[in-house]
């Protein structure tokens, strides 16, 4: 431990001086998110109006993919430079468990709905952790090339395992989450038994064996932009990615891509506030949080990207796309037509089993 | 005359003994030199040596168990792991107190994650217990053994307890064992289950692919360097720019360009189909595999091979070749016996550079390597930023560092580091 402390001390004395100065100087918020069209939608819906209202300058950092690792490192070094961080629900739970995210009193700290409903009721079941304020419901789902699937576009997620009807490559995310569930589902496991089966070693083998049937035809992705690119190039016939990315490829860039909503995997994305901020910085971050998660702001974000707002009271306010002028509601993962058969992945199960399954999955991939 | 024969120390002009005066001047000179390099020394120390030391330290450090569960660790000392029985009530009582304190400080999940690296499933035991133990009155709520077993039957598994016992010392070789696909068993290291073994495979693959990249760099760079070194200066400078241009282009741009070229609907496949060399339904898979990684990295690392070769070849006198030929050597003999031996230092320098750079590469393999073309450094990056198993990442990094040093030493023994010329 001595060495760790010593090097942390040396590093912090070397780094602190200019940083402390920078923070005193300006009225700034560093907000961390995922980049691309998602960050752009936040800038339009939250950052710009907030800056116009309060004069606080907002710095956009795009490191959310590594947020847990970086927050942990900042916490160990005792120098947290982020004010508000956008993470998925499971990461928020992890950060909360480890004491790296502030606990939030949802009713006291967040704005109520316009009709006075307290925030905790308005968000409802989506408040999966006491450190987390959800913004959007998004889903991981499949897109396919309309010109490469012939006259029978896929209607079931199991099309990804059907190499005869849909020959060609597929793209899947380089992680076991979702892929294992889809594999078991298509291997004949009932939807509500998936996690029971996956909890046994035989179930894990069964899932991996099912994935092995298409292993040679899979391009594994780690960034959400990869699948739309691969589809646009005609490299893959179908592939999983976040529904908003597919929306922008289809509606904004007119690519020959269709959506396959069957077994779309629901997930939440939202804000956390890191622990270890000075009182002034924390107060400013909370003020931003209250502003950015009120009913109107969440509905505004849906003008720029096809993700469903997390507040019940925002849903009726969702209107048309800001530039294209098309109705956004039918493109939301929560739209009844799209959510006939959804898969809600079990955060808690994955929190407990992630490390073990990752080890097996990564070894399986490398062989 | 008597002055010169005087015995005793020789004096300087100011009367001090010459020896001391010289020493002082020398020391002053040394101090000045030290002052001049002090900024660099400090910079290297703070930004390089200390972090590396800290990283290496993490690969053996294991204080989290004994610091978070101090009472449990002490109580467990008397328990015999080979007995096959669960520990007695005292251990469970100690755990209840430790866990309550840890859960307040939100440290219990970190111990859980740490132990989970060694025995899958422990993480969830700690998470679940932490939530409940917070509510207990740890003074009088005994007996705790039953209460823990009620929470989860995993607390009655002797393997869980032996894992806690095995990893209670402050330092461990567990991470190093893990990076060799081993784990600490009851009696010495044992292999991990077959479906979790990955590191030997990756290490062998990293070595093999780095070697392949180095060899293909040598094969491609040698003729280029030869031409550059033997053309008139004006033309060779022009051509040199062609070598340097890609070198100055962003790594990501070059990697993405290769993606576009090599993919199945890419330029090269399109051309081959157009020429009729491959069928439209049998396009070659050249990316997201080992081949893609080797091609792309060869291209990216080529300048590191050409430049040292060029600078060495530049110094080889063309008269040697002419002399050899005038003495009756064929072109090949002249090249092989006269020219090539003189160019070896350039090959050596280039190979060291390329090989060591490619062992540590991870961005390019990540983008074009698919699953079969990734290096061990991709696993290090994965453990640092995704799985957060920093100890394992540090151990893998330490192994890679040791490997490079061993190779460097072997190279010095075989070729001799004095023979390496960078210019």
């Amino acid at each position: 431990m001595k060495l760790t402390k010593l090097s942390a001390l040396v590093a912090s004395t070397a780094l602190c001086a200019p940083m402390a100065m920078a923070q005193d100087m300006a009225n700034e918020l560093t907000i961390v998110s995922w980049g691309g069209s998602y960050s752009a939608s936040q800038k339009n819906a939250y950052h710009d109006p907030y800056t116009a209202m309060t004069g606080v300058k907002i710095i956009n950092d795009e490191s959310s993919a590594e947020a847990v690792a970086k927050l942990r490192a900042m916490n160990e070094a005792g120098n947290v430079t982020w004010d508000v961080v956008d993470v998925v629900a499971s990461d928020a739970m992890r950060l909360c468990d480890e004491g790296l995210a502030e606990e939030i009193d949802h009713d006291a700290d967040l704005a109520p709905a316009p009709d006075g409903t307290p925030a905790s009721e308005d968000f409802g079941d989506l408040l999966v952790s006491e450190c987390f304020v959800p913004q959007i419901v998004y889903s991981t789902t499949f897109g396919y090339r309309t010109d490469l699937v012939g006259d029978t576009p896929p209607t079931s997620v199991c099309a990804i395992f059907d190499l005869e009807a849909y020959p060609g490559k597929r793209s899947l995310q380089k992680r076991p989450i979702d892929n294992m569930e889809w594999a078991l589902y298509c291997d004949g496991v009932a939807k509500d038994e998936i996690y029971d089966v996956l909890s046994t070693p035989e179930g894990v083998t069964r899932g991996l064996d099912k994935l092995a049937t298409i292993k040679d035809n899979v391009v594994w992705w780690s960034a959400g932009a990869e699948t739309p690119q691969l589809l646009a190039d005609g490299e893959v016939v179908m592939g999983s990615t976040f529904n908003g990315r597919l929306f922008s490829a289809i509606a904004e860039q007119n690519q020959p891509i269709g959506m396959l909503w069957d077994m779309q995997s629901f997930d939440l994305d939202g804000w956390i506030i890191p622990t270890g901020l000075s009182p002034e910085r924390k107060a400013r971050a909370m003020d931003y949080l209250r502003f950015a998660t009120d009913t109107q702001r969440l509905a505004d974000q849906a003008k720029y990207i096809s993700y469903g707002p997390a507040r019940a009271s925002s849903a009726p306010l969702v209107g048309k796309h800001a530039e294209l002028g098309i109705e956004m509601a039918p493109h939301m993962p929560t739209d009844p037509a799209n959510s006939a058969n959804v898969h809600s992945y079990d955060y808690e199960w994955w929190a407990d089993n992630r490390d073990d399954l990752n080890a097996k999955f990564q070894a399986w991939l490398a062989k | 005359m008597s002055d010169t024969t005087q015995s005793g120390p020789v004096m300087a002009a100011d009367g001090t003994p010459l020896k001391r005066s010289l020493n002082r001047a020398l020391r002053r000179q040394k101090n000045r030199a030290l002052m001049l390099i002090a900024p660099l020394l400090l910079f290297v120390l703070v930004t390089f040596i200390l972090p590396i030391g800290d990283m290496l330290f993490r690969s053996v450090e294991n204080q989290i168990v004994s610091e978070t569960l101090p009472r449990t660790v002490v109580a467990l000392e008397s328990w015999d792991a080979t007995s096959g029985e669960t520990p007695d009530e005292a251990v469970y009582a100690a755990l209840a107190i430790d866990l309550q304190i840890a859960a307040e400080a939100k440290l219990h999940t970190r111990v859980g994650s740490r132990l989970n690296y060694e025995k899958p499933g422990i993480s969830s035991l700690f998470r679940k217990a932490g939530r409940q133990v917070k509510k207990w009155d740890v003074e009088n709520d005994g007996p705790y053994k039953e209460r823990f077993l009620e929470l989860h039957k995993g607390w009655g598994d002797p393997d869980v307890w032996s894992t806690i016992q095995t990893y209670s010392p402050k330092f461990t070789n567990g991470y190093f064992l893990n990076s060799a696909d081993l784990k600490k068993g009851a009696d010495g290291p044992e292999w991990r289950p077959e479906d979790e073994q990955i590191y030997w495979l990756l290490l062998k693959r990293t070595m093999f692919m780095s070697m392949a990249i180095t060899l293909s760099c040598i094969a491609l760079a040698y003729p280029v360097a030869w031409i550059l070194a033997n053309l008139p200066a004006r033309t060779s400078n022009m051509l040199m720019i062609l070598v340097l241009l890609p070198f100055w282009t962003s790594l990501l741009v070059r990697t993405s360009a290769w993606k576009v070229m090599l993919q199945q609907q890419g330029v090269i496949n399109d051309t081959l189909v157009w020429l009729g060399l491959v069928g439209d339904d049998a396009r070659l898979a050249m990316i997201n595999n080992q081949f893609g990684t080797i091609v792309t990295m060869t291209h990216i690392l080529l300048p590191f091979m050409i430049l040292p070769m060029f600078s060495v070849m530049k110094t080889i006198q063309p008269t040697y070749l002419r002399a050899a030929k005038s003495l009756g050597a064929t072109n090949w003999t002249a090249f092989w016996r006269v020219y090539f031996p003189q160019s070896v230092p350039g090959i050596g320098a280039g190979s060291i550079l390329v090989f060591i750079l490619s062992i540590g590469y991870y961005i390019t393999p990540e983008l074009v390597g698919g699953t079969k073309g990734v290096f061990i450094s991709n696993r290090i990056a994965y453990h640092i930023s995704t799985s957060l198993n920093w100890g394992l990442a540090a151990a893998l990094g330490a192994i890679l560092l040791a490997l490079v040093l061993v190779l460097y030493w072997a190279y010095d023994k075989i070729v001799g580091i004095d023979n390496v010329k960078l210019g």
Side-chain angles (χ1 to χ4, degrees):
Chain A
M1 219 54 197
K2 223 180 235 162
L3 196 56
T4 326
K5 274 184 191 144
L6 181 66
S7 60
L9 189 77
V10 175
S12 59
T13 38
L15 293 173
C16 265
M19 274 189 191
M21 243 163 17
Q23 270 161 15
D24 289 341
M25 253 164 27
N27 202 16
E28 293 177 340
L29 269 175
T30 303
I31 295 183
V32 185
S33 187
W34 299 87
S37 48
Y38 184 62
S39 279
S41 74
Q42 290 176 325
K43 184 175 181 296
N44 286 327
Y46 314 148
H47 303 349
D48 289 349
Y50 189 73
T51 306
M53 197 175 80
T54 60
V56 172
K57 194 176 147 219
I58 289 177
I59 301 162
N60 231 327
D61 188 315
E62 303 189 343
S63 328
S64 274
E66 290 173 344
V68 182
K70 289 200 172 172
L71 278 173
R72 215 175 175 191
M74 286 184 195
N75 198 276
E76 277 192 31
N79 183 20
V80 180
T81 57
W82 292 348
D83 296 296
V84 185
V85 188
D86 186 301
V87 290
V88 293
S90 52
D91 282 345
M93 290 163 97
R94 209 160 150 193
L95 289 167
C96 205
D97 279 349
E98 292 196 16
L100 297 175
E102 288 287 350
E103 287 187 17
I104 289 163
D105 181 347
H106 292 99
D107 282 336
D109 295 338
L110 302 177
D115 63 359
T117 316
S120 60
E121 273 175 49
D122 204 14
F123 282 107
D125 295 341
L126 304 185
L127 293 178
V128 292
S129 156
E130 54 259 41
C131 302
F132 180 63
V133 186
Q135 276 170 79
I136 54 154
V137 178
Y138 72 96
S139 77
T140 307
T141 189
F142 283 87
Y144 57 86
R145 277 286 287 227
T146 44
D147 53 343
L148 295 179
V149 293
D151 301 330
T152 50
T155 53
S156 153
V157 72
C158 298
I160 56 170
F161 295 102
D162 191 347
L163 288 172
E164 269 175 39
Y166 305 102
K169 300 225 171 201
R170 294 99 166 85
S171 61
L172 292 174
Q173 192 170 5
K174 202 195 265 177
R175 62 174 198 173
I177 298 174
D178 294 338
N179 294 326
M180 293 298 276
E181 286 101 317
W182 285 323
L184 286 177
Y185 176 75
C186 293
D187 203 35
V189 177
K191 216 162 84 177
D192 52 357
E193 285 168 18
I194 288 178
Y195 289 103
D196 296 335
V197 175
L198 210 48
S199 300
T200 62
E202 298 79 35
V204 174
T205 314
R206 189 173 165 189
L208 290 176
D209 285 350
K210 182 72 178 173
L211 284 172
T213 60
I214 54 166
K215 193 179 179 187
D216 292 340
N217 285 292
V218 174
V219 179
W220 300 95
W221 60 267
S222 40
E226 285 179 58
T227 292
Q229 185 62 50
L230 290 165
L231 282 167
D233 289 350
E235 263 314 272
V236 298
V237 188
M238 52 180 84
S240 67
T241 188
F242 313 124
N243 71 291
R245 308 265 181 178
L246 286 170
F247 169 80
S248 58
I250 296 167
E252 291 167 8
Q253 291 153 28
N254 288 315
Q255 297 291 339
I257 298 173
M259 294 284 287
L260 170 62
W261 289 104
D262 185 50
M263 278 295 272
Q264 55 164 321
S265 173
F266 270 178
D267 201 352
L268 295 173
D269 195 276
W271 301 118
I272 59 112
I273 292 184
T275 48
L277 298 182
S278 65
E280 310 90 72
R281 283 178 65 198
K282 192 185 159 194
R284 198 163 47 201
M286 292 301 288
D287 186 56
Y288 171 85
L289 194 67
R290 189 180 176 91
F291 173 81
T293 56
D294 72 10
T295 302
Q296 185 58 47
R297 243 46 63 186
L298 288 189
D300 283 351
Q301 193 184 2
K303 281 185 203 160
Y304 303 98
I305 199 157
S306 65
Y307 293 135
R311 287 184 96 121
S313 61
S314 298
L317 302 177
V318 171
K320 292 190 165 122
H321 190 280
E323 280 148 35
L324 302 172
I326 50 174
E327 279 297 334
M328 291 303 279
H331 297 283
M332 295 293 173
T334 41
D335 191 68
N338 301 332
S339 53
N341 183 26
V342 302
H343 154 63
S344 305
Y345 96 86
D346 189 334
Y347 309 117
E348 277 203 26
W349 191 89
W350 277 109
D352 288 347
N353 296 283
R354 198 170 168 160
D355 289 344
D356 328 338
L357 228 62
N358 265 338
K360 291 200 173 103
F361 185 77
Q362 299 287 345
W364 174 81
L365 269 186
K367 275 171 192 158
Chain B
M1 284 299 261
S2 60
D3 279 358
T4 49
T5 54
Q6 167 198 350
S7 62
V10 187
M11 297 295 178
D14 62 356
T16 49
L18 185 57
K19 204 173 171 192
R20 201 194 295 163
S21 175
L22 269 177
N23 272 344
R24 193 187 293 155
L26 213 60
R27 205 177 323 125
R28 211 177 297 141
Q29 227 167 19
K30 271 187 188 159
N31 281 342
R32 200 177 303 145
L34 194 70
M35 298 264 278
L36 277 173
I37 63 150
L40 175 70
L41 199 68
L42 201 70
F43 177 77
V44 169
L45 195 74
V46 170
T47 63
F48 195 68
I49 307 286
L50 278 180
I52 286 189
D54 185 26
M55 193 259 326
L56 293 179
F57 178 67
R58 272 177 193 277
S59 63
V60 291
E61 182 248 13
N62 188 48
Q63 283 150 348
I64 185 157
V65 180
S66 55
E67 271 177 15
T68 322
L69 307 171
R71 295 167 191 82
T72 318
V73 165
V74 173
L76 254 184
E77 268 168 16
S78 55
W79 176 67
D80 178 14
T82 53
S83 66
E85 283 168 27
T86 51
D88 53 20
E89 172 62 23
V91 174
Y92 285 92
L95 181 69
I97 300 172
D98 283 339
L99 212 51
Q100 193 172 45
I101 296 168
E104 283 302 323
K106 298 199 167 183
L107 287 170
H108 63 297
T109 53
R110 292 192 205 184
V111 193
S113 311
R114 168 68 192 97
L115 293 169
N116 202 69
Y117 299 144
E118 314 304 337
K119 176 155 172 60
I122 292 196
S123 171
S124 75
L125 283 184
F126 273 87
R127 272 169 198 278
K128 281 180 185 146
R131 255 174 254 152
Q132 298 303 319
V133 174
K134 263 196 210 172
K135 300 172 201 151
W136 291 0
D137 173 8
V138 285
E139 294 299 315
N140 348 300
D141 264 4
Y144 294 100
K145 188 167 179 173
E146 282 164 31
R147 299 202 68 180
F148 270 107
L149 288 178
E150 261 170 47
L151 280 180
H152 198 293
K153 60 176 174 9
W155 288 113
D157 181 356
D159 271 357
V160 168
W161 289 105
S162 84
T163 307
I164 298 178
Q165 197 182 40
T166 316
Y167 287 92
S168 49
K170 283 192 184 332
F171 295 96
T172 178
N173 56 4
Y175 291 120
F176 278 99
L177 289 177
N178 198 342
S179 33
D181 291 329
L182 298 163
K183 65 177 172 188
K184 263 187 179 173
D187 25 58
E190 52 189 59
W191 289 104
R192 289 187 168 259
E194 187 119 8
D195 59 355
E196 285 176 22
Q197 291 180 15
I198 179 170
Y199 295 110
W200 272 115
L201 182 81
L202 282 177
L203 202 62
K204 276 187 283 184
R205 184 192 287 163
T206 306
M207 298 303 290
F208 166 75
M209 288 183 55
S210 303
M211 207 83 86
I213 290 160
T214 311
L215 289 177
S216 55
C217 275
I218 294 175
L220 292 176
Y222 199 88
V224 175
W226 188 83
I227 289 173
L228 286 175
N230 288 291
L231 280 177
R234 265 179 68 197
T235 359
S236 98
N237 282 344
M238 279 286 290
L239 289 177
M240 189 51 123
I241 289 183
L242 293 183
V243 174
L244 290 175
L245 261 184
F247 186 56
W248 292 330
T249 314
S250 145
L251 178 78
L252 279 174
V253 171
R254 279 185 286 165
T255 308
S256 319
W258 276 108
K259 251 183 131 146
V260 174
M261 301 244 284
L262 292 176
Q263 65 187 9
Q264 290 198 306
Q265 307 293 326
V267 184
I268 293 177
N269 260 315
D270 281 349
T271 315
L272 289 176
V273 170
W274 181 72
L275 289 172
L277 290 175
V278 295
D280 199 12
D281 51 352
R283 287 168 176 254
L284 303 175
M286 295 184 290
I287 199 120
N288 295 324
N289 52 25
Q290 293 199 355
F291 181 78
T293 307
I294 291 176
V295 170
T296 315
M297 282 187 55
T298 301
H299 175 238
I300 285 170
L301 295 174
L302 203 52
F304 291 97
M305 188 66 92
I306 294 180
L307 293 176
M309 278 187 181
F310 169 74
S311 59
V312 168
M313 288 182 185
K314 198 78 187 151
T315 62
I316 301 175
Q317 297 293 333
T319 43
Y320 295 164
L321 269 186
R322 265 181 258 146
K325 278 187 206 163
S326 75
L327 292 171
T330 60
N331 278 340
W332 170 252
T333 319
F335 165 76
W336 185 246
R337 303 273 305 272
V338 176
Y339 193 85
F340 183 75
Q342 299 185 73
S343 67
V344 163
I347 301 178
S351 303
I352 282 203
L353 271 178
V354 169
F355 190 81
I356 291 180
L357 278 174
S358 58
I359 281 194
Y361 246 57
Y362 81 95
I363 294 182
T364 304
E366 183 70 34
L367 290 173
V368 301
T371 53
K372 297 245 164 32
V374 295
F375 286 19
I376 198 144
S377 27
N378 292 84
R379 288 305 287 178
I380 298 179
Y382 168 80
H383 284 306
I384 295 241
S385 63
T386 308
S387 81
L388 300 183
N389 191 347
W390 291 350
L392 182 53
L396 287 169
I399 290 177
L400 211 52
L401 184 64
L403 202 71
V404 168
L405 292 177
V406 167
L407 284 171
Y408 183 81
W409 173 82
Y411 187 90
D412 186 31
K413 286 279 153 201
I414 298 164
V415 182
I417 216 70
D418 299 339
N419 285 331
V420 168
K421 269 194 213 152
L422 282 168

